[in-house]
């Protein structure tokens, strides 16, 4: 077989119903290959062996040490002296056995919880000291076997025994048997501590590199250059298969049995080949189809049917049982794929460079088929759409629309940009183009031909959907939705109505129109909408949006089969099943591999048959089998692994011992990292709960670590579980205790008790001391109060005495006031009496009735007048007035020194509030004279006009 044929990407194109073997591993396309390059795992290039422990963590024998991978994080554990690890095996009980040059031992968590290496080399008898590489390790229930080319070491019951051999190659475990080859001699079986020759094995002329159980007590033996052999327990015979030429040319290096009657072989020069029990080649995976390197150093199959390949440069994981298989254009030969379809035993790829095709062979005699895509002449340019209508393949192209027949490319329309085609009737098609709508008719010979372009409508028409009511819904390439009603002859738009946010839509941009289960729906970034004819308004399709979840914002709906539809959300795909009325079963997990691989907004999915679908992806295509079981999804789920516990109060410090985690209160911040060791492509979500902190589970999310800060003292139990494609794992737990602060520890409580006792006696002594002091204070207080009482009594007596004196003085003053008043009134009365006497004397008559002469009366009147103006009255009044109104005259004279005695008299009389008549009598003047004196007195006192004279004198 030519080398070029093997170097090309080889895929297998026979449909499963045609091929007679088991249907688990598909032969259309290649399975998904996950690359783990050196730049990702940060260790050596070469990976010599793989194993998986009971927790689900993968371990790799790497050229720089033991490499661990839990599905998210990589960790390298270096061997003593930086040795290369050549072999690795897990015992399923927490120990990972490794072998290197001159070294055997195991890795496990020590008493402190740290993953450490324990060497067993010192247990080897001195005579058989290990001075070479260890290439194989096998773990059984009671013993561990380490194999080098010269000695077999058996570790059992804490001791290492040896089996000396001649130069041998590799030891293999086939079922319960251990078989090893001696060069140029044959095979030997390890029984106990001796090697027993297997008769007939001398026919194996070159190195045996794998022995696999074949069923029915038989074994499949793979050699480096002479192909495959079958061993039935008695004889060894060559087994001719379709893989012979491949295995001999590219040198078989290792192998692994795959449940379902398959066998995978890794080669030195050309990747991996998979055959079935009939010897048919069903897969070939090499660098052209996704491997990082063609030299396969080791193979390992995990319980999820992931095939792990340790390469000369990197690690790869192959999902051999996935329902999705791929073809990649690694050379960049045909550009970006916008549409793909299978028709008449040919596969067509519409790209930005043109239309490419290759044979789609279903001949049983050509089981192993590679694609050879060629450009159809004349198809250069952008291909938008490939549609199969009534057995004819139509190609919507930038330059028009073409009918494709084999490699023939016939143009039937020059309307640029054929985006999509829909049936208008049995004999008519309608197509959306750059400049409006084009109509095609079916000719008598059944071929489609361009008929006319709908007039009066020149909108770029990305999506077109007739609604069965004589209306055509058109989605603008960028903005808005149009409802077009055709004229009676269908050749022009009788009415055109544009819809946007004014009509209930969420906006104008990115609005699509599709037929979903015989109902026209409208997609948008805010979810799906439906149109109501009566109100001429759009409404949100809430029933559908709720069931679609994150796919409610899908930009495209593509019919699948029956009541199934593809929902496309900007490169993400989900398959929805509407077969049950009122229910939508949405499957997106199986297509997560495709996320970001399809051309956004131009996603294309075509149906091959009722179960097979063809996806257009950026650099090729993918085949999906809807009936294929997914072993990974059906396998039992592991539990979530708690991988790391850290205290990050000041800096991150790992907590290694988890059986009794106690965290100091001053460092009560904890970070827990966890992961589900599931390696196939799946949507993994986590949910956690911290008992003692919260009573409710968190929301599902992708986060793989959780931090808790400022935890109160107490016992906590961290619970975490995962959900994979709707399936929920069991709960993993981690218990820890936040210790109380120092002031709440037992020692602190003992101190508190002692302090309480000491405080009790201290308080008791203090109380007694305070009581004595208080008693003394009371006595002193009583004494002070007594003295204060006596003092207050004395003051009260003094005040009473003073009050009595004041009262006496006030009484005296009142008496003197009364006396003064009486004296003044007596003087007034005397003066009035004298005045009457004076007046009566003037009226005296003699016996004859004549008035007496004045000369006779003058002397008497003089005596009367002298009595009226007697200064003794004033002196007596003045003395009495001064006693009653002490210092009145002194203040008055001091303030007004220009006052004369008559002024002082008037002031005194005014001070006593006498009326003018009384004052006139006392001063022996007329009432007019009183007024004149009052006026003059006001001037001398300088009183304002509005100031009352009497009030002024009383205030003085």
């Amino acid at each position: 077989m030519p080398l070029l044929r093997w170097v090309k990407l080889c895929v297998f194109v026979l449909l499963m119903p045609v091929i007679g073997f088991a249907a688990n591993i598909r032969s259309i396309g290649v399975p998904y290959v996950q690359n783990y390059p050196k730049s990702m795992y940060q260790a050596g290039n070469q990976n010599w062996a793989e194993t998986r422990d009971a927790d689900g963590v993968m371990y790799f024998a790497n050229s720089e040490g033991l490499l661990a991978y839990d599905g998210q994080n990589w960790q390298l554990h270096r061997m003593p002296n930086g040795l290369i690890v050549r072999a690795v095996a897990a015992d399923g009980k927490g120990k990972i056995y490794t072998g290197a040059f001159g070294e055997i031992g195991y890795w496990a968590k020590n008493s402190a919880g740290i993953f450490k290496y324990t060497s067993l080399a010192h247990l080897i008898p001195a005579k058989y000291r290990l001075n070479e590489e260890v290439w194989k390790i096998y773990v059984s229930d009671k013993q561990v076997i380490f194999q080098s080319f010269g000695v077999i070491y058996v570790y059992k019951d804490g001791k290492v025994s040896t089996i000396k051999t001649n130069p041998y190659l590799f030891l293999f475990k086939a079922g319960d048997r251990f078989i090893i080859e001696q060069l140029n001699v044959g095979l030997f079986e390890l029984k106990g501590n001796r090697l027993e020759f297997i008769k007939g094995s001398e026919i194996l002329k070159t190195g045996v590199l794998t022995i696999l159980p074949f069923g029915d007590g038989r074994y499949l033996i793979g050699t480096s250059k002479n192909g495959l052999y079958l061993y039935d327990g008695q004889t060894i015979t060559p087994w001719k298969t379709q893989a012979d030429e491949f295995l001999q040319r590219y040198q078989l290096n290792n192998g692994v049995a795959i449940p379902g009657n398959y066998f995978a072989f890794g080669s030195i020069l050309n990747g991996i080949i998979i055959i079935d029990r009939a010897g048919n080649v069903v897969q070939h995976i090499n660098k052209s189809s996704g491997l990082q390197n063609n030299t396969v150093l080791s193979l390992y199959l995990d319980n999820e049917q992931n095939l792990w390949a340790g390469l000369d440069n990197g690690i790869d994981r192959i999902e051999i049982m996935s329902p999705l298989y791929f073809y990649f254009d690694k050379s960049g030969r045909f550009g970006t794929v916008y549409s793909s379809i299978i028709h008449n035993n040919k596969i067509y790829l519409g790209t930005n460079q043109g239309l490419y095709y290759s044979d789609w062979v279903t001949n049983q005699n050509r089981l192993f088929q590679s694609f050879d895509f060629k450009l159809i002449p004349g198809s250069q340019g952008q291909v938008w759409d490939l549609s199969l209508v009534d057995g004819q393949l139509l190609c919507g192209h930038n330059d028009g629309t073409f009918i494709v027949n084999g490699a023939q490319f016939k143009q039937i329309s020059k309307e640029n940009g054929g985006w999509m085609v829909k049936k208008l009737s049995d004999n008519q098609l309608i197509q959306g183009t750059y400049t409006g709508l084009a109509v095609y008719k079916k000719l008598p010979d059944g071929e489609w031909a361009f008929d006319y372009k709908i007039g009066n409508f020149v909108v770029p028409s990305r999506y077109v959907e007739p609604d069965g009511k004589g209306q055509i819904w058109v989605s603008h390439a960028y903005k808005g939705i149009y409802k077009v009603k055709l004229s009676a002859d269908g050749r022009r738009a009788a009415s055109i109505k544009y819809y946007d946010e004014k009509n209930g839509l969420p906006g104008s941009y990115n609005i699509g129109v599709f037929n979903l289960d015989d109902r026209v729906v409208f997609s948008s970034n805010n979810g799906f909408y439906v149109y109501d004819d009566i109100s001429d308004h759009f409404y949100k399709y809430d029933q559908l949006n709720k069931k679609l979840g994150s796919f409610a914002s899908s930009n495209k709906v593509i019919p699948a089969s029956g009541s199934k539809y593809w929902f496309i959300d900007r490169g993400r795909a989900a398959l929805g099943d509407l077969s049950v009325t009122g229910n939508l079963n949405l499957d997106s997990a199986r297509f997560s591999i495709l996320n970001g691989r399809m051309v956004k907004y131009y996603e294309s999915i075509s149906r091959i048959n009722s179960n097979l679908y063809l996806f257009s992806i950026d650099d090729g295509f993918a085949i999906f089998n809807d009936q294929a079981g997914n072993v990974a999804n059906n396998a039992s789920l592991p539990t979530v692994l708690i991988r790391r516990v850290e205290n990050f109060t000041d800096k991150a410090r790992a907590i290694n011992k988890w059986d009794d985690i106690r965290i100091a209160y001053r460092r009560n911040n904890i970070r827990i990292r966890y992961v589900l060791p599931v390696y196939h492509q799946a949507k993994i979500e986590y949910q956690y709960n911290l008992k003692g902190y919260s009573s409710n589970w968190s929301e599902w999310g992708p986060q793989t670590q959780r931090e808790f800060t400022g935890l109160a003292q107490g016992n906590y139990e961290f619970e975490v579980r995962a959900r994979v494609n709707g399936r929920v794992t069991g709960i993993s737990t981690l218990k820890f205790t936040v210790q109380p602060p120092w002031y709440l520890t037992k020692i602190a409580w003992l101190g508190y008790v002692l302090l309480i006792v000491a405080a009790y006696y201290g308080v008791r002594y203090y109380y007694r001391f305070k009581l004595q002091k208080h008693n003394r204070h009371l006595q002193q207080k009583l004494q002070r109060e007594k003295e204060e009482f006596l003092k207050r009594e004395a003051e009260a007596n003094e005040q009473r005495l003073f009050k009595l004196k004041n009262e006496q003085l006030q009484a005296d003053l009142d008496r003197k006031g009364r006396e003064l008043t009486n004296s003044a009134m007596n003087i007034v009365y005397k003066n009035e009496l004298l005045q009457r006497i004076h007046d009566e004397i003037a009226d005296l008559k003699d016996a004859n009735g004549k008035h007496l002469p004045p000369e006779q009366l003058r002397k008497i009147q003089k005596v009367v007048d002298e009595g009226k103006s007697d200064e003794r009255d004033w002196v007596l009044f003045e003395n009495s007035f001064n006693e009653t109104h002490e210092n009145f005259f002194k203040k008055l004279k001091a303030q007004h020194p220009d006052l004369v005695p008559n002024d002082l008299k008037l002031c005194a009389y005014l001070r006593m509030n006498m009326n003018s008549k009384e004052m006139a009598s006392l001063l022996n003047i007329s009432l007019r004279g009183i007024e004149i004196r009052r006026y003059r007195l006001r001037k001398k006192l300088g009183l304002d006009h509005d100031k009352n004279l009497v009030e002024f004198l009383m205030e003085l």
Side-chain angles (χ1 to χ4, degrees):
M1 185 176 292
L3 177 62
L4 181 61
R5 186 175 182 183
W6 292 101
V7 176
K8 286 183 179 180
L9 174 65
C10 298
V11 293
F12 313 93
V13 295
L14 284 178
L15 301 181
M16 259 59 75
V18 178
I19 301 173
F21 52 82
N24 283 335
I25 298 181
R26 265 69 63 189
S27 56
I28 303 176
V30 293
Y32 174 73
V33 179
Q34 174 72 57
N35 299 138
Y36 303 104
K38 175 183 175 181
S39 60
M40 178 182 291
Y41 60 73
Q42 296 291 306
N45 291 346
Q46 296 172 319
N47 296 277
W48 297 95
E50 303 84 17
T51 191
R52 188 172 181 174
D53 70 1
D55 290 332
V57 178
M58 291 294 302
Y59 291 91
F60 302 89
N62 185 266
S63 55
E64 290 188 9
L66 178 66
L67 188 61
Y69 178 51
D70 59 16
Q72 183 174 6
N73 301 300
W74 295 88
Q75 189 173 10
L76 178 65
H77 305 281
R78 295 188 182 276
M79 291 286 291
N81 303 314
L83 295 173
I84 298 173
V85 179
R86 300 286 187 182
V88 63
D91 68 351
K93 301 175 183 178
K95 291 182 179 180
I96 310 298
Y97 290 90
T98 55
F101 178 81
E103 186 64 59
I104 59 174
Y106 63 86
W107 293 80
K109 286 188 176 182
N110 60 16
S111 58
I114 301 174
F115 195 65
K116 286 289 187 180
Y117 177 70
T118 301
S119 176
L120 302 175
H122 65 283
L123 300 177
I124 299 175
K127 183 179 179 181
Y128 299 104
R129 287 296 181 193
L130 181 57
N131 293 311
E132 55 185 346
E133 299 274 10
V134 172
W135 290 97
K136 298 288 184 181
I137 302 176
Y138 297 102
V139 180
S140 62
D141 293 337
K142 297 181 180 180
Q143 63 184 12
V144 181
I145 299 175
F146 300 86
Q147 179 251 322
S148 70
F149 286 152
V151 181
I152 294 174
Y153 302 92
V154 180
Y155 175 61
K156 183 178 181 181
D157 298 330
K159 298 179 181 179
V160 175
S161 59
T162 60
I163 301 173
K164 183 71 174 91
T165 67
N166 294 319
Y168 285 86
L169 282 180
F170 298 111
L171 176 70
F172 301 100
K173 183 179 181 181
D176 295 329
R177 303 176 67 177
F178 290 95
I179 299 173
I180 193 169
E181 179 195 18
Q182 182 178 357
L183 285 175
N184 301 319
V185 177
L187 300 181
F188 291 78
E189 183 175 358
L190 176 63
K191 294 185 176 181
N193 59 356
R194 62 186 181 85
L195 294 172
E196 183 177 303
F197 181 71
I198 296 177
K199 295 180 181 180
S201 63
E202 60 273 7
I203 70 167
L204 301 172
K205 298 179 181 179
T206 57
V208 173
L209 295 176
T210 184
I211 301 178
L212 306 173
F214 195 76
D216 300 325
R218 294 182 295 172
Y219 298 93
L220 179 60
I221 301 172
T223 65
S224 60
K225 296 180 180 179
N226 287 341
L228 304 173
Y229 294 81
L230 284 176
Y231 171 50
D232 61 5
Q234 300 294 328
T235 59
I236 298 175
T237 57
W239 186 42
K240 298 300 180 182
T241 70
Q242 292 182 355
D244 287 348
E245 183 179 353
F246 176 91
L247 296 175
Q248 292 171 14
R249 174 173 294 185
Y250 300 115
Q251 194 174 345
L252 181 148
N253 192 38
N254 42 60
V256 66
I258 301 173
N261 300 321
Y262 298 102
F263 304 92
F265 299 100
S267 71
I268 295 295
L269 301 175
N270 202 2
I272 300 169
I273 194 167
I274 300 176
I275 64 174
D276 63 5
R277 283 176 59 88
N280 299 310
V281 175
V282 295
Q283 273 294 345
H284 175 213
I285 309 161
N286 60 9
K287 190 171 183 179
S288 297
S289 53
L291 288 185
Q292 297 176 82
N293 187 274
N294 275 334
T295 300
V296 181
L297 299 180
S298 57
L299 287 175
Y300 178 83
L301 187 73
D302 67 17
N303 59 357
E304 296 173 3
Q305 303 300 287
N306 291 300
L307 182 62
W308 295 85
L311 306 177
D312 193 54
N313 188 3
I315 300 170
D316 284 343
R317 180 183 58 83
I318 306 161
E319 295 188 5
I320 54 176
M321 298 298 181
S322 170
L324 278 165
Y325 275 60
F326 297 85
Y327 173 88
F328 297 108
D329 175 27
K330 294 294 183 179
S331 64
R333 185 174 183 181
F334 44 68
T336 304
V337 179
Y338 282 77
S339 185
S340 57
I341 201 166
I342 294 172
H343 177 56
N344 287 341
N345 295 329
K346 294 188 183 300
I347 180 169
Y348 295 90
L349 302 180
T351 77
N352 63 320
Q353 298 179 9
L355 183 61
Y356 290 80
Y357 77 100
S358 180
D359 289 335
W360 180 264
V361 180
T362 57
N363 188 343
Q364 288 188 358
N365 296 325
R366 299 186 62 187
L367 181 64
F368 195 70
Q369 171 71 38
S370 62
F371 290 121
D372 183 16
F373 283 98
K374 298 177 182 178
L375 177 67
I376 294 180
S379 69
Q380 292 87 339
Q382 176 71 58
V383 175
W384 292 115
D385 178 59
L386 291 172
S387 297
L388 190 62
V389 185
D390 293 346
Q392 296 181 56
L393 180 59
L394 302 182
C395 174
H397 195 279
N398 183 68
D399 296 333
T401 301
F402 300 79
I403 288 182
V404 182
N405 188 6
Q408 304 298 315
F409 201 59
K410 177 183 176 183
Q411 187 168 25
I412 60 174
S413 169
K414 294 185 178 181
E415 294 296 326
N416 298 97
W419 269 319
M420 73 176 307
V421 171
K422 286 283 184 175
K423 266 201 169 186
L424 199 57
S425 66
D426 290 340
N427 297 314
Q428 276 190 319
L429 302 177
I430 190 166
Q431 181 186 51
T433 70
Y434 291 167
T435 57
L437 301 174
V439 177
Y440 297 82
K441 64 180 179 180
K442 185 181 287 188
L443 299 177
D445 59 2
E447 187 173 287
W448 292 104
F450 176 77
D451 193 3
Y452 56 87
K453 186 176 180 182
I454 293 177
N456 200 31
F457 187 77
V458 292
V459 173
S461 305
R462 180 71 180 86
Y463 298 110
V464 178
E465 195 64 56
D467 64 0
K469 301 176 183 178
Q471 303 171 142
I472 299 173
W473 291 95
V474 178
S475 172
H476 189 282
Y478 301 102
K479 185 178 180 181
I481 283 285
Y482 293 84
K483 183 173 69 173
V484 180
K485 289 186 178 180
L486 301 181
S487 60
D489 59 4
R491 291 184 169 271
R492 60 184 301 276
S495 67
I496 302 171
K497 185 167 184 179
Y498 174 77
Y499 294 90
D500 55 17
E501 60 270 17
K502 297 176 183 177
N503 308 98
L505 291 172
S508 302
Y509 291 91
N510 300 322
I511 306 296
V513 56
F514 306 97
N515 186 300
L516 180 64
D517 206 22
D518 294 329
R519 184 174 189 179
V520 177
V521 297
F522 301 84
S523 65
S524 75
N525 295 338
N526 288 3
F528 283 91
Y529 284 74
V530 292
Y531 172 74
D532 181 65
D533 287 304
I534 298 175
S535 62
D536 193 27
H537 197 80
F538 289 85
Y539 297 94
K540 211 163 188 179
Y541 199 170
D542 290 327
Q543 299 93 327
L544 177 63
N545 292 330
K546 289 178 182 178
K547 293 175 181 178
L548 286 175
S550 64
F551 278 87
S553 58
S554 295
N555 59 285
K556 196 175 234 185
V557 178
I558 301 174
S561 62
S563 297
K564 293 183 178 181
Y565 292 85
W566 295 101
F567 293 90
I568 312 295
D569 183 15
R570 293 157 189 82
R572 297 189 306 137
L575 182 58
D577 188 351
L578 297 170
S579 56
V580 179
T581 303
N583 187 37
L584 172 62
N585 182 21
L586 194 68
D587 177 13
S588 62
R590 288 190 290 175
F591 314 105
S592 58
I593 297 176
L594 298 173
N595 292 350
R597 292 180 178 270
M598 293 186 284
V599 181
K600 190 180 291 188
Y601 298 111
Y602 294 94
E603 302 88 351
S604 172
I605 304 174
S606 62
R607 188 175 58 158
I608 300 172
N609 57 36
S610 59
N611 299 313
L612 290 178
Y613 296 89
L614 183 65
F615 286 75
S616 300
I617 58 178
D618 290 338
D619 53 353
F621 61 85
I623 302 291
F624 169 68
N625 187 347
D626 195 19
Q627 277 191 335
N630 193 327
V631 175
N633 288 336
N634 295 330
S636 61
L637 289 175
T639 57
V640 178
L641 298 183
I642 298 176
R643 295 291 286 163
R644 186 174 177 87
V645 182
E646 295 177 328
N647 191 298
F648 65 98
T649 300
D650 46 9
K651 64 178 181 179
R653 299 180 182 179
I655 300 173
N656 296 309
K657 193 173 182 179
W658 297 351
D659 54 347
D660 186 22
I661 299 178
R662 296 185 176 273
I663 302 171
Y665 184 79
R666 60 186 178 85
R667 296 181 53 81
N668 55 350
N669 303 309
I670 190 171
R671 178 188 296 125
I672 303 174
R673 297 180 180 177
Y674 45 85
V675 69
L676 183 69
V678 168
Y679 302 96
H680 62 271
Q681 291 292 314
K683 182 180 180 181
I684 303 176
E685 297 175 301
Y686 298 91
Q687 191 179 46
Y688 65 86
N689 178 38
L690 183 61
K691 289 184 177 179
Y693 180 84
S694 173
S695 58
N696 299 318
W697 285 85
S698 69
E699 297 294 328
W700 291 102
Q703 294 78 15
T704 57
Q705 72 174 30
R706 181 67 176 93
E707 297 177 352
F708 300 95
T709 59
L711 292 174
Q713 70 175 82
N715 298 318
Y716 295 91
E717 184 174 349
F718 178 75
E719 299 178 318
V720 62
R721 59 189 177 189
R723 183 171 65 182
V724 183
N725 300 339
R727 301 166 62 202
V728 179
T729 68
I731 298 174
S732 300
T733 62
L734 175 73
K735 297 180 180 180
F736 62 92
T737 300
V738 176
Q739 294 178 321
W742 64 268
Y743 50 83
L744 293 178
T745 60
K746 292 181 179 179
I747 296 177
W749 283 111
L750 179 60
Y752 296 150
V753 172
L754 296 177
L755 285 175
I756 291 172
V757 173
Y760 169 75
Y761 285 102
V763 169
R764 183 180 179 187
Y765 170 79
Y766 179 74
Y767 176 74
R768 288 182 176 179
F769 172 77
K770 290 290 288 184
L771 184 60
Q772 293 174 357
K773 184 177 180 180
H774 183 64
N775 290 335
R776 291 195 300 269
H777 176 71
L778 287 177
Q779 292 176 1
Q780 294 173 357
K781 183 178 180 182
L782 288 173
Q783 184 63 32
R784 286 195 302 271
E785 288 179 351
K786 183 177 180 181
E787 292 175 355
E788 288 290 331
F789 176 76
L790 293 176
K791 184 178 179 180
R792 287 195 298 272
E793 282 293 320
E795 290 177 350
N797 291 334
E798 185 178 351
Q799 288 177 357
R800 284 195 295 271
L801 181 60
F802 180 75
K803 182 177 180 181
L804 291 173
K805 288 181 179 181
N806 286 340
E807 290 176 352
Q808 183 63 40
L809 290 173
Q810 185 65 38
D812 293 343
L813 184 62
D814 292 341
R815 179 179 55 78
K816 288 183 179 181
R818 288 193 299 273
E819 290 178 355
L820 176 62
T821 302
N822 292 334
S823 175
M825 295 308 297
N826 288 333
I827 294 171
V828 170
Y829 177 74
K830 182 200 74 170
N831 288 345
E832 289 179 350
L833 179 61
L834 290 175
Q835 183 63 39
R836 286 197 301 272
I837 293 172
H838 182 277
D839 293 340
E840 288 294 331
I841 291 172
D843 290 335
L844 285 178
K845 297 177 181 180
D846 58 14
N848 295 320
K850 296 181 179 180
H851 288 283
L852 294 178
E855 293 83 4
Q856 293 178 0
L857 299 177
R858 186 174 295 115
K859 186 175 181 179
I860 297 173
Q861 288 177 339
K862 181 179 179 182
V863 173
V864 172
D865 290 339
E866 288 177 353
K868 290 173 60 178
S869 58
D870 193 352
E871 287 297 325
R872 289 178 298 180
D873 293 337
W874 166 249
V875 172
L876 180 63
F877 176 81
E878 183 180 12
N879 290 334
S880 299
F881 186 86
N882 282 332
E883 288 179 359
T884 305
H885 304 287
E886 186 177 5
N887 299 325
F888 176 76
F889 292 117
K890 290 181 180 179
K891 292 180 182 180
L892 192 61
K893 288 289 289 182
Q895 295 179 9
H896 305 282
D898 55 340
L899 296 177
V900 295
N902 285 332
D903 293 332
L904 294 176
K905 290 181 181 179
L906 180 61
C907 289
Y909 298 149
L910 288 170
R911 174 70 175 79
M912 292 182 66
N913 200 20
M914 292 183 174
N915 55 38
S916 296
K917 182 179 179 181
E918 291 172 341
M919 289 188 290
S921 176
L922 288 172
L923 293 175
N924 199 22
I925 60 176
S926 65
L927 290 175
R928 176 63 179 167
I930 289 297
E931 294 300 324
I932 293 172
R933 286 193 178 187
R934 285 171 67 100
Y935 174 73
R936 290 174 180 172
L937 180 61
R938 290 182 67 90
K939 290 186 67 177
K940 287 182 179 182
L941 294 177
L943 295 181
D944 294 334
H945 177 73
D946 56 349
K947 180 66 175 178
N948 188 278
L949 179 59
V950 176
E951 290 180 356
F952 171 76
L953 293 173
M954 294 184 72
E955 292 173 356
L956 190 65

